[in-house]
Every structure is written in structure tokens, then in C-alpha cells.
Amino acid sequence: MYQNLCLFGYAALFLFTPGTLAAPALSNVDLDKRWFTINPNPEAGGPRPWPGHKLKYKFKDDNSKSKLGDLVKEGWKLWTDNGIDKANIDIIESSDNDALVIEVSDEPGATTTVGSNPLPRMKFGDNDKYGLLDKTANMAHELGHSLGFYHEHQRDDRDDHVVFNCKNLADWSEQKEKDGFCTDLVAAKGNGWSSLDLIILPRSQQNPPICELGDAYDEDSIMHYPGGAGGSKSLLKAGSRKTVLGYKNKPNESFKKNKKPSSADIDRANAMYSTPENKKRDITKACNDKPPAEQPPAEEPVPEGDEDDQEDAEEEAEEEQEDAEEDAEEAEEEAEDEDDD
């Protein structure tokens, strides 16, 4: 199966996932996915940032290079034009075995492995019929995954900001009877459902490879799906898609298309790949240093020899409370007698 993949656009799910498969158990890496980025700490496990501050890539064949060569550079230019520092991270075409292998597809949809790993791959649909409906922006999104980013809209606070209209997915009518279509990551992964990249990613406390710095939800992130991604055709407007991700206060209004990296995207990328000479934000330290857990206030010790006095005082207080309650009952009875007279 395709572990650590971004599947941008519903067609990619069917294109790259064969048939209906038995749902495999998610790996620790799957369970640990979060919205921010892979953890640059070498001991964290899981996918890694690209070593040497270089995202190396190559093309699977001449056809892929012919169709996507310029597009890769244009997609990366969106990152550099908006503030990513090349001293931190840059892309370079390379024939090395560990380079990202980019393959063109004639079908709509794209899929990319997250970060550097033993088999980095990107399969990219050479058309504008999916995702952001813009090839350059889609490429920038996919390069964001290769840098180490997961989806912003799969954060666990997503529902505080957007509405997931699962029934508007293109394959809803075919899969609606399946348990967990809108909520079960394991089932979505195993069956190739388009909901895979829209279901909230759970947090795991076991060896998390993902770094979470507590950044606010970024509605401008290029790693956020637009409202119509994966949606079925709308009957209201020719060529439009139904709203899958809508605004919290307007659930039927499609979430906007972010066609360039946000300032937070740039800040995160610069932080993850910053060099000692150009360190703008020490992400490694932030990922590793966890605030101490809050401890309940300690009870004040009772001075030795005062235990008996404390018990006597508690008994006296209880007796006074009982006397007060009895007096109140007697007063109520007297008042009732006077009313009867």
C-alpha cells in the first residue's frame, strides 16, 4: 500500500489504489500523522527532512521530464517567491538513488510521499481538473508534502473552523453503505475511499514522528484542500463541484483555493530546515522540549501532635452544622403552626 501519501483529488485514490482491498492496520507512522510537519529530531523515527538542505528529485522517464520539468521549477518558485530561504532548503535535480522520483499521469490526481524516506515518490496528473484546479499550485502543494508537511484540514481542531460535507464526495453514492466511510482511516486506506485525506488524523502518544508547535489553524495554507476537492459534480453550475469542505458559519460555501504558500507555511519550512548560521526558529528544540505536566497542588502537612486537635475541630464543626439544621426545621414548623391558626 501507499504509506505516507498525499492523495490530492479523488481520482488519485482509484488510480493508485487497486480495487477493494481488505483494510490493513495503520502503522505507527499513519497513526502519528499530524498537521504540522515531520519531526527533524533523528531519534523520532518515521519520515525525515531532506538531508543536506537539498530536496533531490529526478524523473521516472523522459516523458515525465518533458511534461513536468518546468512545472516542478514553477511550483518551487511559489515557495521561494513567498519567502522560503534557499540557504535552508532548495531543490536540485539528481540521479541519486534516494532522490524523489516524479512520474507523470494523464489522469487527474496526485500522490506524494511525505519527507525523505527510502522510496520517495510523486505521481502527478498533468491537467488542471483536480485539487486547486491549477497545475502550478497543485505542484507546490505536492512539493509541500515532500518537504514534510501533512494536510492542514486534517488537524484535530479542523471542525472548529470548517465543515466536512462527506456526502458530497464523488464516491459517496457508491460507498455510503460502507461502515466508517466518513470517519475510519483504516477502512478508507484499505478500500481506496476518497475520504482518506479528509478524515481527521488522530494523535498518538507513542514515539510520535510528527512535530506539533501549537500553531493556530492556518486557513491560508497551501496544504489546505479547497472546498470542492474530491466533490461530485454540482448541478447548480456547469463545471463546478459540490462543497466538501465548507466554512463553519457557511457550510455550503466552498472553502477558498490557496494557490500559494502562506506565511505560516514559509515559517514552518524555514524552521524545519534552518541552518545553525541562519536559524530563525529552533524547531528541533521545540519538538523535543515538552512543558512539564501540571501537578496537583500539594496538601499542606499537618503539624505533628495536631492530628487530635484537628479531628476534634472537625467533629465540633459537624455538630454545629447539625444543630443549625435542627433549629431551621423547628423554625419552619413554628411558622406553619402560626399559619394554621
Side-chain angles (χ1 to χ4, degrees), residues 49-55 76 83-91 147 266-281:
W50 288 90
H53 304 278
K54 298 294 183 183
L55 192 168
W76 183 243
I84 203 168
D85 194 329
K86 289 185 177 181
N88 291 329
I89 181 65
D90 201 1
I91 65 171
L147 283 173
I266 298 299
D267 180 45
R268 294 166 179 178
N270 281 327
M272 179 166 55
Y273 286 98
S274 60
T275 64
E277 298 78 18
N278 188 28
K279 190 169 283 294
K280 297 180 179 179
R281 186 178 185 188

Side-chain angles (χ1 to χ4, degrees), residues 123-170:
K123 198 165 187 177
F124 190 89
D126 185 30
N127 57 70
D128 57 5
K129 305 300 183 184
Y130 65 96
L132 292 162
L133 306 181
D134 181 294
K135 289 198 295 185
T136 303
N138 282 347
M139 178 58 74
H141 176 99
E142 296 306 312
L143 289 173
H145 284 301
S146 190
L147 283 173
F149 292 113
Y150 293 103
H151 289 136
E152 191 75 7
H153 58 270
Q154 289 185 278
R155 292 170 54 142
D156 66 355
D157 61 346
R158 183 268 308 281
D159 290 341
D160 294 335
H161 304 272
V162 296
V163 175
F164 175 29
N165 298 305
C166 184
K167 293 182 179 181
N168 287 340
L169 285 170

